[in-house]
Amino acid sequence: MTYSVESNALYGYFYFDSPTELALLDAQTFLGEAANFLAEIKLSRIVFANPIKGFSSDQVPLNRYAVETDPEAGWQEELFAWYDQEHLPGLAAVPGCVSATRCLNLDHAPYSFSFYDLLSPEVLGCEPWLKVRHTSWSDRVRPHFTNTRRTMFQFL
């Protein structure tokens, strides 16, 4: 589980051996009595598209930086190519990044979901991280993100 103080968001991850219909699931099944205390629970199936071990993969992450977004109409192919060929491998290679993963949300927007397991939030501001974020390809695709949400979480 991860928690964000800034957005007061709690993300829980449940891994299944085979695809499961969400219509058969409810929060009570997973959270028991704790589900009664949460105002809104949104379940979604996430498919891992491109997990990459990071520079610091031998260490335990303390934070997860999640970026959820939808590509503007006509930009999905370019956005996913950018993530897979440049952005994720580049950020994974930054010291302090334990892993970088792109996922697809099968159930609701935002449909593109990437997360970076980090040793600390400060990794986001280091020179190697910023260098990867400011390439010409990044500058070309980033304006075509829609419905974007960026959240820094702490592992619980």
Side-chain angles (χ1 to χ4, degrees):
M1 286 202 161
T2 57
Y3 176 71
S4 169
V5 174
E6 295 85 27
S7 65
N8 200 29
L10 177 70
Y11 279 37
Y13 303 89
F14 304 95
Y15 299 92
F16 297 99
D17 292 332
S18 61
T20 303
E21 289 292 326
L22 286 178
L24 303 175
L25 304 175
D26 67 347
Q28 196 75 37
T29 302
F30 294 110
L31 302 174
E33 295 292 321
N36 298 329
F37 300 103
L38 302 173
E40 179 183 326
I41 296 174
K42 192 184 285 187
L43 295 176
S44 53
R45 295 168 297 157
I46 304 292
V47 175
F48 290 83
N50 190 11
I52 301 172
K53 284 186 177 184
F55 180 92
S56 302
S57 64
D58 61 335
Q59 298 181 51
V60 177
L62 299 176
N63 301 92
R64 173 168 285 172
Y65 177 60
V67 179
E68 300 167 81
T69 192
D70 289 317
E72 189 176 277
W75 280 85
Q76 179 172 310
E77 186 176 324
E78 180 78 7
L79 178 77
F80 290 174
W82 167 75
Y83 261 122
D84 293 341
Q85 296 170 29
E86 178 182 278
H87 198 64
L88 280 158
L91 294 178
V94 172
C97 184
V98 175
S99 65
T101 305
R102 183 173 68 81
C103 307
L104 299 174
N105 185 329
L106 300 179
D107 296 304
H108 57 80
Y111 293 101
S112 177
F113 180 84
S114 60
F115 60 87
Y116 309 88
D117 290 345
L118 306 172
L119 298 180
S120 75
E122 288 75 28
V123 173
L124 295 182
C126 76
E127 185 179 338
W129 185 277
L130 295 175
K131 184 176 179 181
V132 172
R133 289 198 72 238
H134 296 290
T135 66
S136 60
W137 199 358
S138 294
D139 292 343
R140 190 169 68 248
V141 298
R142 196 169 281 114
H144 302 285
F145 285 15
T146 63
N147 198 25
T148 302
R149 183 178 334 149
R150 292 177 174 87
T151 311
M152 179 64 73
F153 293 97
Q154 294 176 330
F155 282 103
L156 298 177

